């Protein structure tokens, strides 16, 4: 397990929970995380740098830029190499260049909790959560049954590019809409004589702006690694906003109703599709 | 009670709950709502048009455009006239023109539930919820203790214009960010070969897009009645999005981090201000 943070240590606990004899070693550069990971009982051994061993599987559970940097050495130590990053195009390109087409397992568990680091790890973190695999990488098919054994829900995407476009629309761009909603509210409050707008907020404001509270250190590299798809999503959102502004200026009630109805239709359709496939909304 | 829907009938139930002898009559043009309102037990009598009576208070619990249209007749029947609309500028202007400065009570209870109509009414609907009053209208001060008796939380704004600017930032604009987030996701999905993006959504997507599921018939008139402030909010949001797009294109990590940190600071500050004043977040 290369990176013994929340995801890495939760995976290690899940592996050991299914098979207590499984050998799981960790590699962790942060001294504090190394101590916590060792204390977690998830690993037989936690190293501060790559050990001189060979493994069946190396998991890159580090941010995307670090995962790319460590991929060559990880591939020299293990039969299969999996990553768990939330952006897939850069690392899949690199894996192709390194001729790892049969051995690389691009994957993305969509799981987390409000904590950070090995102390927040939980062997049930992946239960009933989506774990995305990429269809055109054969090793994903080989390891799918093993991933499913964590009670996670396998979701297939056709390609790394399809994964990243989907993430821009359902996660990365959504995050930026939350950030933008909060900043615009703060900007308008600062430009008024307002003293108490925060007291006028309700559940809608709370939910839409919630993601803006996330720390930036995860998000900056993630957004940069997916900048093309995220930029396209934001452009589509700005086009919709300009159309809404046009409706308001022209007092075009019917056109505004069309925009709101289209959003409701889409939301209803997405919710129905998810429910009908047996997933929680 | 002019309009016996969810808000009107909940108010009637709250009034009767505090004082079972209080006389509360309703006026309701929808035949179905009239029957349901009569059956609710909230009213002594529900009329299909204005009765030839006089009252201490008339409450306009109808959409903003209807409230403006009915204000003159309501004022001819009652000592005080209150409205409960979510936009204040148009009706306050009209009340000034009608020389109702001492008798009009502009107010906005920020309460609701997932239902609609008198059948969903609840005498506790306003408990611990904000009920906004406008400082520069003297009758608001006269009726504040009575409104507080519903266990609602009075929040003062300086003026109708301040109210509407605040609502654009904490409610109306937030609603449109949710609508836009959903439409942009659907647009990107439609423009890809995607078959299953809805299965990849998580709690963040659910929360940010939740408001897009609201029916358009409340929102179109509300947004139109507050079009200037809402347009200003959307423009501020688009400016932020263009700055984010610039950061992504230029791979300007530091500037992107500044945007995300500013959003987190604002969100943290608003949350702290609300918590410290004893309100639930």
């Amino acid at each position: 397990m290369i990176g013994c943070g929340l995801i890495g240590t939760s995976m290690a606990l899940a592996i050991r929970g299914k098979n207590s004899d499984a050998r799981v070693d960790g590699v962790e550069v942060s001294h504090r995380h190394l101590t916590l990971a060792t204390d977690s009982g998830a690993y037989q051994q936690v190293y501060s740098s790559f050990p001189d061993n060979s493994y069946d599987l190396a998991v890159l559970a580090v941010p995307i830029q670090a995962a790319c940097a460590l991929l060559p050495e990880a591939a020299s130590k293990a039969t299969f190499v999996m990553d768990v990053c939330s952006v897939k195009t850069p690392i899949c390109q690199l894996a192709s260049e390194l001729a790892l087409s049969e051995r690389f397992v691009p994957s993305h568990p969509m799981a987390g909790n409000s904590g950070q680091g090995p102390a927040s790890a939980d062997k049930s973190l992946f239960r009933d959560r989506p774990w995305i695999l990429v269809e055109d990488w054969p090793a994903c098919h080989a390891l799918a049954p093993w991933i499913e054994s964590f009670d996670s829900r396998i979701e297939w995407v056709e390609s790394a590019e399809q994964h990243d476009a989907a993430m821009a629309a359902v996660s990365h761009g959504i995050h930026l809409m939350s950030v933008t909603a909060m900043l615009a509210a703060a900007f308008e409050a600062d430009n008024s004589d307002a003293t108490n707008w925060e007291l006028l907020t309700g559940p809608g404001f709370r939910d839409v702006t919630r993601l803006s509270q996330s720390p930036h250190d995860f998000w900056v590299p993630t957004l940069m690694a997916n900048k093309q798809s995220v930029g396209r999503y934001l452009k589509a959102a700005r086009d919709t906003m300009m159309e809404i502004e046009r409706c308001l200026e022209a007092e075009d009630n019917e056109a505004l109703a069309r925009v709101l109805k289209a959003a409701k239709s889409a939301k209803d359709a997405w919710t129905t599709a998810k429910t009908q496939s047996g997933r929680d909304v």
Side-chain angles (χ1 to χ4, degrees), chain A residues 2 14 25 32 39 80 108 115-116 121 146-147 176 188 203 208 221 237 245 259 268:
Chain A
I2 301 157
D25 288 345
R32 203 171 71 83
D39 294 347
F80 289 104
H108 177 197
Q116 281 186 298
W146 181 72
I147 289 170
L176 291 173
E188 290 299 306
V208 170
E245 287 169 66
V259 173
D268 288 345

Side-chain angles (χ1 to χ4, degrees), chain A residues 63-65 68 85-91 93 160 163-165 172 218-230:
Chain A
I64 176 70
Q65 281 83 350
C68 287
C85 299
S86 54
V87 181
K88 298 265 77 76
T89 308
I91 198 162
Q93 270 171 359
H163 171 276
D164 290 357
H172 307 164
F218 167 76
W219 279 102
V220 171
T222 300
L223 294 166
M224 281 297 170
N226 197 17
K227 64 181 186 152
Q228 281 188 321
S229 293
V230 172

Side-chain angles (χ1 to χ4, degrees), chain A residues 44-77:
Chain A
Q44 270 89 349
Q45 184 84 41
V46 185
Y47 298 92
S48 59
S49 62
F50 277 100
D52 197 15
N53 300 336
S54 54
Y55 295 90
D56 296 328
L57 173 67
V59 179
L60 292 158
V62 288
I64 176 70
Q65 281 83 350
C68 287
L70 296 170
L71 178 58
E73 189 161 10
S76 76
K77 303 278 184 188

Side-chain angles (χ1 to χ4, degrees), chain A residues 80-206:
Chain A
F80 289 104
V81 185
M82 174 187 284
D83 86 303
V84 294
C85 299
S86 54
V87 181
K88 298 265 77 76
T89 308
I91 198 162
C92 285
Q93 270 171 359
L94 180 62
S96 292
E97 286 160 22
L98 295 171
L100 298 174
S101 302
E102 301 297 319
R103 297 167 52 207
F104 183 56
V105 186
S107 92
H108 177 197
M110 296 183 76
N113 59 33
S114 59
Q116 281 186 298
S120 303
D122 172 3
K123 74 172 163 40
S124 305
L125 193 72
F126 310 105
R127 180 172 295 161
D128 294 329
R129 303 290 310 155
W131 194 311
I132 305 174
L133 295 174
V134 185
E135 271 174 16
D136 56 5
W137 288 80
C140 282
H141 298 269
L143 268 74
W146 181 72
I147 289 170
E148 230 163 3
S149 76
F150 307 143
D151 300 323
S152 63
R153 216 177 64 213
I154 304 279
E155 303 288 0
W156 291 96
V157 294
E158 286 170 31
S159 63
E161 293 71 24
Q162 184 70 244
H163 171 276
D164 290 357
M167 284 306 110
V170 306
S171 169
H172 307 164
I174 293 292
H175 188 85
L176 291 173
M177 292 300 282
S178 183
V179 161
T180 299
M182 183 65 234
L183 281 175
F187 179 83
E188 290 299 306
D190 288 347
N191 280 314
S192 79
D193 306 325
T195 50
N196 67 340
W197 286 13
E198 66 275 3
L199 305 182
L200 308 179
T201 58
F205 182 87
R206 180 196 62 206

